Amino acid sequence: MAAPARQEWSMSDFEIGKHIGGGKFGKVYLAREKQSGYVVALKVIYKEKLEKYGFHDHLRREIKIQQALDHPNVLRLFTWFHDEDRVVLVLEYAARGELYKVLQTAGRFTERTAATYVASLADALAYCHKKHVIHRDIKLENLLLDIKGQIKIADFGWAVQSNAKRHTFCGTIDYLAPEMIKGTGHDRAVDNWALGILCYEFLYGSPPFQVEDLENTLRRILRMDLTFPSTPYVSSGAKDLISKLLVKDSSKRLSLEDVMKHPWIKKNAGPSGSCIKQREVKKAKFI
Ligand code: ATP
Ligand code: MG
């Protein structure tokens, strides 16, 4: 791996706080940088696991891509370091955690909340695409909320920096674009598709093509079997936006710039971070 920005970073620079999450390769801890008092999340990845699954290159790419991104709706990767056993990513701390859990508790979001998130995500993805970065795994589980309720795209594990059509099959079933399933080559428009899936999921509480078994979900995506259950909570403007993102022909999907200009977004989106009622949030406590 290439040398980190500041070679001398090590675990001893941080006070380690509570365990806040776990992934396939390691654990995530709340931590505070001793000199500045700055609160961060440390993602600790065990080299043994990286080697076992041959994930070195994958991680190297994730780090290179995420470290070069600086946008209010993209989780910052400040730096990284390693010792004998571990690679440690120093990340922006997203105090309100996973959007997945928030939606689970709420059941569904209001149009104002959904539109605010979609607008923030469209802005962040447009920024990534301008830098030729395609995320390729936009889904609820990869979205976090900071202390103000601002949405943050995390986990660039499947991201790629490229202009050419890609052929690697990646992503998560419910969010897979038709061209990804068919393996005919994909580009940045897979993120626009996933944004359409997310918008639907925000408003209805579950993704549009989800059924019990995997094969039928894939079949429904390929058939474009998109239905909108009748509910007074979802307006025709929202359905219009979703229908313009969930278009089979990837070149005809609504651009991210046009998502931000869409009348439903214009009408409903508040400023980024305004969607969840601002509550007094206690300062992260170290244990
Ligand atoms: P998996 O591949 O299984 O999703 P992973 O190795 O990619 O796991 P992450 O998804 O990055 O690990 O992190 C695991 C969990 O830790 C997240 O789902 C989230 O709950 C928490 N977490 C990760 N990073 C942060 C952060 N910066 N701030 C707050 N919580 C975080
Ligand atoms: Mg993850």
Side-chain angles (χ1 to χ4, degrees), residues 43 141-142 155:
K43 187 165 167 179
E141 291 86 340
N142 285 336
D155 206 338

Side-chain angles (χ1 to χ4, degrees), residues 52-68:
K52 190 170 158 198
Y53 296 103
F55 252 60
H56 258 117
D57 287 347
H58 205 90
L59 180 65
R60 192 177 293 132
R61 194 164 65 180
E62 177 175 352
I63 290 173
K64 187 168 171 259
I65 290 176
Q66 202 173 346
Q67 214 172 1

Side-chain angles (χ1 to χ4, degrees), residues 4-284:
R6 200 193 105 176
Q7 192 78 48
E8 62 268 30
W9 282 114
S10 77
M11 267 316 197
S12 63
D13 291 309
F14 300 89
E15 273 174 60
I16 308 298
K18 66 172 180 183
H19 175 232
I20 49 177
K24 282 187 287 290
F25 301 104
K27 291 177 175 165
V28 183
Y29 298 92
L30 184 62
R32 177 158 43 199
E33 202 273 315
K34 284 178 185 167
Q35 265 192 1
S36 63
Y38 201 83
V39 173
V40 293
L42 293 184
K43 187 165 167 179
V44 180
I45 300 155
Y46 296 100
K47 288 184 175 176
E48 195 191 330
K49 291 206 176 155
L50 277 180
E51 249 135 60
K52 190 170 158 198
Y53 296 103
F55 252 60
H56 258 117
D57 287 347
H58 205 90
L59 180 65
R60 192 177 293 132
R61 194 164 65 180
E62 177 175 352
I63 290 173
K64 187 168 171 259
I65 290 176
Q66 202 173 346
Q67 214 172 1
L69 299 174
D70 185 3
H71 183 279
N73 300 109
V74 174
L75 192 81
R76 285 295 306 274
L77 169 59
F78 297 116
T79 190
W80 66 278
F81 55 87
H82 64 123
D83 58 25
E84 211 172 307
D85 309 316
R86 309 166 290 193
V87 178
V88 181
L89 310 189
V90 183
L91 293 160
E92 173 182 1
Y93 174 49
R96 291 204 196 173
E98 298 174 27
L99 189 62
Y100 176 76
K101 286 190 184 144
V102 180
L103 182 61
Q104 232 179 14
T105 308
R108 60 178 174 77
F109 294 145
T110 62
E111 292 210 309
R112 179 177 163 79
T113 299
T116 305
Y117 289 153
V118 171
S120 299
L121 291 171
D123 195 56
L125 288 171
Y127 166 84
C128 292
H129 289 181
K130 255 183 218 123
K131 290 183 163 264
H132 308 293
V133 171
I134 319 172
H135 187 281
R136 303 201 298 182
D137 198 16
I138 290 295
K139 57 175 176 177
L140 210 50
E141 291 86 340
N142 285 336
L143 301 174
L144 300 175
L145 295 174
D146 73 1
I147 200 152
K148 294 183 292 189
Q150 210 169 201
I151 199 164
K152 304 274 174 178
I153 301 178
D155 206 338
F156 281 73
W158 281 113
V160 70
Q161 194 154 27
S162 160
N163 255 332
K165 283 248 180 197
R166 311 290 305 181
H167 291 271
T168 314
F169 185 87
C170 48
T172 305
I173 298 299
D174 287 313
Y175 299 82
L176 280 182
E179 67 271 23
M180 189 78 92
I181 298 171
K182 285 190 281 184
T184 47
H186 60 267
D187 58 19
R188 60 176 68 180
V190 293
D191 288 342
N192 301 41
W193 172 276
L195 186 60
I197 301 279
L198 269 178
C199 185
Y200 186 108
E201 194 171 17
F202 289 162
L203 293 165
Y204 290 96
S206 55
F209 302 110
Q210 188 182 53
V211 276
E212 289 277 305
D213 65 305
L214 206 136
E215 264 180 47
N216 275 324
T217 301
L218 296 180
R219 224 170 273 140
R220 285 193 69 195
I221 297 170
L222 290 175
R223 278 206 318 262
M224 292 294 304
D225 187 6
L226 175 66
T227 53
F228 295 100
S230 76
T231 154
Y233 305 115
V234 184
S235 65
S236 56
K239 292 177 203 167
D240 181 75
L241 175 61
I242 294 166
S243 307
K244 285 176 174 155
L245 284 167
L246 299 181
V247 173
K248 194 164 192 173
D249 181 345
S250 63
S251 68
K252 300 217 165 79
R253 278 172 213 150
L254 199 65
S255 72
L256 297 167
E257 288 70 24
D258 287 339
V259 170
M260 290 182 266
K261 286 190 228 147
H262 189 276
W264 180 76
I265 294 287
K266 286 274 178 214
K267 182 174 171 215
N268 293 287
S272 178
S274 68
C275 41
I276 288 187
K277 224 170 99 200
Q278 294 285 339
R279 260 181 267 122
E280 191 57 38
V281 185
K282 280 191 199 129
K283 267 205 143 185

